[in-house]
Amino acid sequence: MNSIFKTLTLSTLCVLIMACASTEEIKLETSPDSYYKSLLELCGKTFVGKTSYPLDPDHDFAGKKLVAHFKSCTNNEIRIPFSVGEDKSRTWIITNTSQGLLLKHDHRHKDGTPDEVTMYGGYAGEYKNSKGTNLKQHFLADEHTAQLIPAAQSNVWTLSYDPESKQLTYNLERHQKPRYEATLSLVSEH
C-alpha cells in the first residue's frame, strides 16, 4: 500500500510540474513582447484585403482595396502604412515603450503635414477577459484619444495575424460593439 501511495504521489507531482511548465509557457506566449517579436517577423511583407465589417455600401472604405505594408521595423517601432484605395494618408505605428506596446494612428495630408485628427490609439491591455497572445493584442484608447475624439474613449483596436491562413485582421470596437473590421491576406514578401 505504501509503495502505491509513493507511486501515486510521484505521478501527481510529475503532473503538477508539467502543468506549471505549461502555464509558464502560456504566460510567455501571451506577453506583449512575444507579440512584438511576431510582428517583427512580418517586416517587409504586404497584405491586401477589404473591409469585412460593416457591409454598408455607403461606408467610406466600402469597395476599396486596403493595403497594409510592414515597411519600417526596429526593436522599438514598427510602421505600417495603411492605404484605402488611392488614399495613402494613414500609418499604424506600434511602439515598444517602457509602459507597454502602444498603437497610434498617424494621419497625414498629401504634403506630409499632420491631419487635425492624428496620433490616436492606446496601449495593449486586457479586453473581454483576454490578455492577448503572441499573434493578437488589444489596444485600449488612451487619454490623448479621449480628449482628441471624445466619442472614441471606449475604442479598442485589435490587430491579429493568423500564420496558417496568412491573414492580418484589424478590428475596432466602440462600447464593446463591432464598429469596423478589415481582413487582409499576405501577397508579397520583400
Side-chain angles (χ1 to χ4, degrees):
M1 183 74 169
N2 203 9
S3 66
I4 293 174
F5 179 72
K6 285 180 182 177
T7 303
L8 285 175
T9 304
L10 185 58
S11 297
T12 304
L13 182 61
C14 287
V15 168
L16 287 173
I17 290 170
M18 288 172 36
C20 290
S22 296
T23 302
E24 187 62 32
E25 287 173 19
I26 290 169
K27 285 181 185 174
L28 291 173
E29 289 184 11
T30 60
S31 76
D33 286 340
S34 64
Y35 174 79
Y36 193 82
K37 288 176 186 173
S38 294
L39 290 185
L40 284 174
E41 292 176 15
L42 300 177
C43 201
K45 297 180 180 180
T46 301
F47 294 82
V48 174
K50 63 183 180 176
T51 297
S52 46
Y53 182 87
L55 298 176
D56 180 357
D58 295 328
H59 188 274
D60 290 345
F61 294 2
K64 295 182 180 171
K65 179 180 177 182
L66 307 176
V67 179
H69 178 64
F70 284 72
K71 187 173 185 176
S72 170
C73 305
T74 69
N75 288 334
N76 297 320
E77 183 182 87
I78 298 172
R79 288 182 166 265
I80 309 164
F82 178 66
S83 61
V84 179
E86 297 301 313
D87 182 352
K88 299 181 185 323
S89 66
R90 298 166 180 84
T91 300
W92 301 329
I93 302 172
I94 300 172
T95 308
N96 195 3
T97 76
S98 59
Q99 296 175 357
L101 291 183
L102 176 64
L103 168 67
K104 288 291 184 173
H105 297 76
D106 185 3
H107 290 258
R108 303 270 168 173
H109 296 289
K110 286 185 179 182
D111 65 2
T113 58
D115 192 273
E116 189 175 308
V117 179
T118 189
M119 299 310 284
Y120 58 87
Y123 285 95
E126 186 172 339
Y127 181 61
K128 294 183 177 178
N129 296 318
S130 170
K131 292 182 180 179
T133 69
N134 62 323
L135 297 172
K136 177 180 185 177
Q137 287 291 316
H138 312 287
F139 299 89
L140 289 68
D142 59 14
E143 187 61 33
H144 171 74
T145 300
Q147 290 177 5
L148 183 66
I149 315 166
Q153 65 184 342
S154 68
N155 278 14
V156 176
W157 296 269
T158 302
L159 190 60
S160 60
Y161 177 65
D162 180 352
E164 286 187 33
S165 65
K166 296 187 178 183
Q167 285 193 327
L168 182 71
T169 303
Y170 170 90
N171 178 283
L172 168 61
E173 289 191 12
R174 182 174 287 175
H175 305 300
Q176 296 191 359
K177 293 181 181 172
R179 185 166 175 86
Y180 180 77
E181 184 173 87
T183 305
L184 304 102
S185 298
L186 178 67
V187 293
S188 70
E189 303 179 41
H190 53 266

